[in-house]
Amino acid sequence: MNLIQPLEKSDRPILIAGPCSAESEEQVMKTAEQLAIHNVPVDLFRAGIWKPRTRPNNFEGIGRMGLQWLKRVKAEFGFRVTTEVAKTEHVFDALKAGIDVLWLGARTTVNPFSVQEVADALKGADIPVFIKNPINPDLTLWIGAIERVYSAGITRIGVVHRGFSKFGHTIYRNVPQWQIPIELKRQFPDLMILCDASHICGNKEYLFEISQTALDLNYDGLMIETHIDPPNAWSDAEQQVTPFELKEQILNRLQVRTPDIEGAEFRENIEDLRSQIDVIDRELIQMLANRMQISDLIGKYKKKNNISVLQPARWNEILEKTMEQAKPLELSEEFVEKILKAIHQESINHQEKIMIGKDFKSRVS
Ligand code: PEP
Ligand code: MN
């Protein structure tokens, strides 16, 4: 693929900002106005016009009339504008209204029929397109969507990483699984990649941290949802920030590294590696928590069937199998054994808690 950058790069990260959904002309215009007043460096003003909702009877978007509001934003504030398209009519309407950039949402990328429909509608158009990752952690599906859009003649393509859905409780709405976009970048080094921190977080709390991690991992920029009155937003109320908060609490705090100072390359490499380590550590903790959740389920089953917590044969099997796996991976036996025992001990504590209903600190060595 011979990709062209969908947006111009500068020495600061690219920013796509705007409300999750266009709700009313006033809400759209006021949000844009606040962004302008606070000098937020907006490269693209976003607003969902057609909203794919997980469950029915939620606000499904204002529809094509909202495109006129985006045109007003462009005319009055000079921001270029973008929206999500998922169907042929969306593409036609958006092109007709002069929308500058389009994006495919996670619920579209996941479905090759839908991606193909959008790609077919795009044939002959000359417009940049961003492709969000699919809902599930499947890199091939993501690449497939890029290829379908590229085959339709679109060469200005970028991607947006918005995290992946996961069953069970996590601190994120969509877990980042950074290693997936990192692998995508490895395969397509020139592909522009933005991080949609809002949909990864699902709340305001981690927006800064996720945005910083993305920049530390050399992302080209960010997509962040911003709304004039977040608590009363018609969609994604918990994760939106006001334009002022976006500027003060996120953008002003972000560290952007400049590549042209002495020793910068070295520092950049080290920081890159450290960010990757931080990411892996966070994931390790999450994986351990997931393992304990499964262990709890086994504990409940054991209790119901009156089976003892410790099954020596099973424990031996885990130990042997894992040590075997660790051998060629250059992890010392001593280290792996220590970790496994600590994990096993925690599992036992969890299951004992289920059996007897209180903390039980036994030692298995
Ligand atoms: C959005 O950006 O408003 C949206 C619906 O995002 P996603 O496709 O990532 O869920
Ligand atoms: Mn949203």
Side-chain angles (χ1 to χ4, degrees), residues 20 46 51 173 199 225 236 239:
C20 176
R46 65 151 282 160
K51 301 300 297 177
R173 176 178 177 190
H199 287 90
E225 287 185 342
D236 290 351
Q239 73 194 27

Side-chain angles (χ1 to χ4, degrees), residues 221-234:
L222 303 165
M223 178 188 266
I224 300 182
E225 287 185 342
T226 178
H227 189 285
I228 189 77
D229 180 15
N232 291 306
W234 296 2

Side-chain angles (χ1 to χ4, degrees), residues 45 63 68 97 129 148 168 181 184 214 221 224-225 242 319:
F45 180 88
Q68 300 313 312
V129 175
R148 284 177 199 277
L184 180 66
I224 300 182
E225 287 185 342
T242 63
L319 204 53

Side-chain angles (χ1 to χ4, degrees), residues 18-80:
C20 176
S21 306
E23 299 164 7
S24 67
E25 186 160 11
E26 194 192 2
Q27 168 253 1
V28 170
M29 295 310 290
K30 282 205 161 148
T31 305
E33 184 186 34
Q34 284 297 309
L35 287 166
I37 287 173
H38 294 296
N39 284 320
V40 178
V42 177
D43 293 286
L44 277 176
F45 180 88
R46 65 151 282 160
I49 297 290
W50 300 280
K51 301 300 297 177
R53 304 313 298 272
T54 302
R55 312 243 341 235
N57 306 321
N58 284 320
F59 174 57
E60 299 204 319
I62 206 76
R64 71 162 68 94
M65 93 165 95
L67 295 170
Q68 300 313 312
W69 309 339
L70 290 180
K71 277 177 81 170
R72 256 194 84 193
V73 166
K74 192 174 172 182
E76 290 179 30
F77 299 103
F79 297 144
R80 302 210 309 148

Side-chain angles (χ1 to χ4, degrees), residues 5 49 74 98 124 138-139 149 213 261 331 344:
Q5 295 301 325
I49 297 290
K74 192 174 172 182
D138 184 338
L139 179 55
V149 171
T213 301
I261 36 172
L331 296 167
H344 188 229

